[in-house]
Amino acid sequence: MSTFTLLGISGSLRQGACNRKLLREAVRAFGDADYVEADLHLPLYDGDLEDAEGIPPEVQKLADQIKSADAVLISTPEYNKNLSGVLKNALDWVSRVKGMAWKDKPVVLMAAADGRAGGERAMHSLILCMMPFRANLVYGPEVFIANCGEAFDESGRLKDEGAEKFLGLLMKKLRGVLEA
Ligand SMILES: Cc1cc2nc3c(=O)[nH]c(=O)nc-3n(C[C@H](O)[C@H](O)[C@H](O)COP(=O)(O)O)c2cc1C
């Protein structure tokens, strides 16, 4: 069995973010893997900055991480029924880097939010945002974690067996894509 490199992208910057926890649960469900978590502390996209200084080094690093990963996992919070600005900013910046970092990259999308829908609307916006990049979206079963502040135990494990099962199926599907 190969050891794959997975890059996790949390749309929430908080250290204790539910979305970070969900990414780590996804990696656990995937099994043996090298896991790297992206840092989305990027400047706000600004065409003047890009003209004056080119691609910021932290954006270049993110694009390089996406390119070199075997697969990317993205987990978004829901802010006002949409994906987070932090995540959209990162997607916009990476789209400015030459070389189409996302092209054909296996990508899994998930969401965790405090609301009852578990970030479903945010994830649907995220799908639209990913459309231009020609990634290989590995889709379904859908993983939305509702009431996410209560969804993980103290060790970061998902409490709900159903959610864990769907996450396991999704990650098994991803492994199948990588091993094909
Ligand atoms: C600006 C803002 C808007 C929010 N809007 C929504 C929303 O539309 N739907 C929802 O379920 N939760 C909403 N929330 C609550 C988030 O789901 C909650 O903060 C969640 O924990 C964020 O994910 P994180 O734990 O990964 O940071 C909002 C939170 C913020 C800060």
Side-chain angles (χ1 to χ4, degrees):
M1 198 165 71
S2 315
T3 299
F4 295 107
T5 300
L6 303 181
L7 176 69
I9 298 182
S10 165
S12 170
L13 295 175
R14 293 191 317 122
Q15 274 311 311
C18 300
N19 284 279
R20 269 185 219 289
K21 292 178 187 167
L22 181 55
L23 287 171
R24 289 171 193 175
E25 279 291 81
V27 174
R28 197 181 60 76
F30 183 84
D32 185 41
D34 289 329
Y35 179 57
V36 182
E37 224 165 79
D39 182 0
L40 297 198
H41 286 92
L42 309 175
L44 284 177
Y45 178 75
D46 175 349
D48 289 340
L49 172 69
E50 186 184 10
D51 287 346
E53 298 175 24
I55 299 294
E58 52 277 59
V59 173
Q60 186 64 56
K61 178 178 173 184
L62 176 59
D64 292 345
Q65 286 175 319
I66 293 166
K67 254 192 160 169
S68 63
D70 292 301
V72 182
L73 318 177
I74 307 179
S75 188
T76 184
E78 183 165 274
Y79 288 170
N80 299 307
K81 308 190 192 303
N82 233 294
L83 76 166
S84 67
V86 162
L87 180 54
K88 181 68 167 68
N89 184 55
L91 295 178
D92 288 337
W93 261 126
V94 169
S95 75
R96 304 295 295 166
V97 179
K98 288 199 171 63
M100 296 192 74
W102 293 105
K103 190 162 182 291
D104 299 328
K105 185 69 56 185
V107 177
V108 161
L109 307 178
M110 298 171 284
D114 273 343
R116 272 179 303 165
E120 182 171 7
R121 293 158 297 202
M123 199 172 94
H124 289 164
S125 337
L126 176 56
I127 292 168
L128 292 181
C129 292
M130 292 298 297
M131 291 300 280
F133 307 145
R134 292 195 255 160
N136 174 13
L137 289 189
V138 179
Y139 195 76
E142 294 172 319
V143 175
F144 306 121
I145 307 300
N147 191 18
C148 74
E150 305 294 323
F152 299 87
D153 70 16
E154 282 167 15
S155 56
R157 298 287 303 271
L158 272 169
K159 293 182 194 168
D160 181 63
E161 278 178 24
E164 198 179 3
K165 182 178 152 208
F166 285 135
L167 186 59
L169 289 170
L170 181 58
M171 298 315 286
K172 190 173 168 197
K173 187 169 176 179
L174 175 63
R175 186 175 278 284
V177 168
L178 297 187
E179 287 179 345

Coordinates of all heavy atoms in Angstrom, one line a residue, residues 10 12-14 16-20 76-82 112-119 121 148-149, ligand 1:
S10 N -8.3 24.0 5.7 CA -9.4 24.4 6.5 C -9.8 25.9 6.2 O -9.0 26.8 6.2 CB -9.1 24.3 8.0 OG -10.0 25.0 8.8
S12 N -11.4 27.7 8.0 CA -11.5 28.5 9.2 C -10.0 28.6 9.7 O -9.3 27.6 9.8 CB -12.4 27.8 10.2 OG -12.2 28.4 11.5
L13 N -9.6 29.8 10.2 CA -8.3 29.9 10.7 C -8.1 29.5 12.1 O -7.0 29.3 12.6 CB -7.9 31.4 10.5 CG -7.7 32.0 9.1 CD1 -7.4 33.5 9.2 CD2 -6.7 31.3 8.3
R14 N -9.3 29.4 12.9 CA -9.2 29.1 14.3 C -8.4 27.9 14.6 O -8.6 26.8 13.9 CB -10.6 28.9 14.9 CG -11.5 30.1 14.9 CD -12.7 29.9 15.7 NE -13.4 28.6 15.6 CZ -13.6 27.7 16.6 NH1 -13.2 28.0 17.8 NH2 -14.3 26.6 16.3
G16 N -8.8 25.9 17.1 CA -9.7 24.9 17.5 C -10.9 24.6 16.6 O -11.9 24.1 17.0
A17 N -10.7 25.0 15.3 CA -11.8 25.0 14.4 C -12.4 23.6 14.2 O -11.6 22.6 14.1 CB -11.3 25.5 13.0
C18 N -13.7 23.5 14.1 CA -14.3 22.2 13.8 C -13.8 21.7 12.4 O -13.7 20.5 12.2 CB -15.8 22.4 13.6 SG -16.7 23.1 15.1
N19 N -13.6 22.6 11.5 CA -13.2 22.2 10.2 C -11.8 21.6 10.2 O -11.5 20.6 9.4 CB -13.3 23.3 9.2 CG -14.7 23.6 8.8 OD1 -15.3 22.9 8.0 ND2 -15.4 24.5 9.5
R20 N -10.9 22.0 11.1 CA -9.6 21.3 11.3 C -9.8 20.0 11.8 O -9.2 19.0 11.4 CB -8.7 22.1 12.3 CG -7.9 23.1 11.7 CD -7.0 23.7 12.8 NE -6.8 25.1 12.6 CZ -6.1 25.6 11.6 NH1 -5.4 24.9 10.8 NH2 -6.0 26.9 11.5
T76 N -14.9 23.5 4.7 CA -15.3 24.9 4.9 C -16.3 25.1 6.0 O -17.3 24.3 6.1 CB -15.9 25.4 3.5 OG1 -16.2 26.8 3.7 CG2 -17.2 24.8 3.1
P77 N -16.2 26.2 6.7 CA -17.3 26.6 7.6 C -18.3 27.3 6.8 O -18.1 27.5 5.6 CB -16.6 27.6 8.5 CG -15.5 28.2 7.7 CD -15.1 27.1 6.7
E78 N -19.5 27.6 7.4 CA -20.5 28.3 6.7 C -20.6 29.7 7.3 O -20.9 29.8 8.5 CB -21.8 27.6 6.7 CG -22.9 28.3 6.0 CD -24.1 27.4 5.7 OE1 -24.1 26.7 4.7 OE2 -25.1 27.5 6.6
Y79 N -20.3 30.7 6.5 CA -20.5 32.1 7.0 C -21.6 32.7 6.2 O -21.5 32.9 5.0 CB -19.2 32.9 6.8 CG -18.1 32.5 7.8 CD1 -16.8 33.0 7.6 CD2 -18.3 31.7 8.9 CE1 -15.8 32.7 8.4 CE2 -17.2 31.3 9.7 CZ -16.0 31.9 9.5 OH -14.9 31.5 10.3
N80 N -22.7 33.0 6.9 CA -23.8 33.7 6.2 C -24.2 32.9 4.9 O -24.4 33.5 3.9 CB -23.5 35.2 5.9 CG -23.3 35.9 7.2 OD1 -24.1 35.8 8.1 ND2 -22.2 36.5 7.4
K81 N -24.4 31.6 5.1 CA -24.9 30.7 4.1 C -23.9 30.5 2.9 O -24.3 30.2 1.8 CB -26.3 31.1 3.6 CG -27.3 31.3 4.7 CD -28.7 31.4 4.1 CE -29.7 31.9 5.2 NZ -29.7 31.1 6.4
N82 N -22.6 30.8 3.2 CA -21.6 30.7 2.1 C -20.3 30.2 2.6 O -20.2 30.0 3.8 CB -21.5 32.1 1.5 CG -21.7 32.1 0.0 OD1 -20.9 31.5 -0.7 ND2 -22.7 32.8 -0.4
A112 N -18.3 21.8 7.9 CA -18.7 21.7 9.3 C -19.2 23.1 9.7 O -18.5 24.1 9.5 CB -17.6 21.2 10.2
A113 N -20.3 23.1 10.4 CA -20.9 24.4 10.8 C -21.8 24.2 12.0 O -22.3 23.1 12.3 CB -21.6 25.1 9.7
D114 N -22.1 25.3 12.7 CA -22.9 25.2 13.9 C -24.4 25.0 13.5 O -25.1 24.5 14.4 CB -22.8 26.5 14.7 CG -21.6 26.4 15.7 OD1 -21.1 25.2 15.9 OD2 -21.1 27.4 16.2
G115 N -24.8 25.4 12.4 CA -26.2 25.3 12.0 C -26.7 23.9 11.7 O -25.9 23.0 11.6
R116 N -28.0 23.8 11.6 CA -28.6 22.4 11.4 C -28.2 21.8 10.1 O -28.2 20.6 9.9 CB -30.1 22.5 11.4 CG -30.7 22.4 12.8 CD -32.2 22.6 12.8 NE -32.5 23.9 12.2 CZ -33.7 24.2 11.7 NH1 -34.7 23.3 11.8 NH2 -34.0 25.3 11.2
A117 N -27.9 22.6 9.0 CA -27.6 22.1 7.7 C -26.1 21.7 7.6 O -25.7 21.1 6.6 CB -27.9 23.1 6.6
G118 N -25.3 22.0 8.6 CA -23.9 21.5 8.7 C -23.1 22.1 7.6 O -22.1 21.5 7.2
G119 N -23.5 23.3 7.1 CA -22.6 23.9 6.1 C -22.9 23.5 4.7 O -22.1 23.7 3.7
R121 N -25.0 24.6 2.4 CA -25.0 25.7 1.4 C -23.6 26.2 1.1 O -23.3 26.5 0.0 CB -25.9 26.8 2.0 CG -27.3 26.4 2.1 CD -28.1 27.3 3.0 NE -27.6 27.2 4.4 CZ -28.2 27.5 5.5 NH1 -29.5 27.9 5.4 NH2 -27.7 27.4 6.7
C148 N -21.6 21.8 14.9 CA -20.2 21.2 14.9 C -19.5 21.4 16.2 O -18.6 20.7 16.6 CB -19.4 21.7 13.7 SG -18.8 23.4 13.8
G149 N -19.9 22.5 17.0 CA -19.3 22.7 18.3 C -19.4 21.5 19.3 O -18.7 21.4 20.2
Ligands
LIG1 C1 -19.5 35.6 10.3 C2 -20.2 34.3 10.6 C3 -21.3 33.8 9.9 C4 -21.8 32.6 10.3 N1 -22.9 32.1 9.5 C5 -23.3 30.9 9.7 C6 -24.3 30.3 8.8 O1 -24.7 30.9 7.8 N2 -24.6 29.0 9.0 C7 -24.1 28.2 10.0 O2 -24.5 27.1 10.1 N3 -23.2 28.8 10.9 C8 -22.8 30.0 10.7 N4 -21.9 30.6 11.6 C9 -21.4 29.8 12.7 C10 -20.2 28.8 12.2 O3 -20.8 27.7 11.7 C11 -19.4 28.4 13.4 O4 -18.7 29.6 13.8 C12 -18.4 27.3 13.1 O5 -17.9 26.8 14.2 C13 -17.3 27.8 12.2 O6 -16.4 26.7 11.9 P1 -15.0 26.5 12.7 O7 -15.4 25.9 14.0 O8 -14.3 25.5 11.8 O9 -14.4 27.8 12.9 C14 -21.3 31.8 11.3 C15 -20.2 32.3 12.0 C16 -19.6 33.5 11.7 C17 -18.4 33.9 12.4

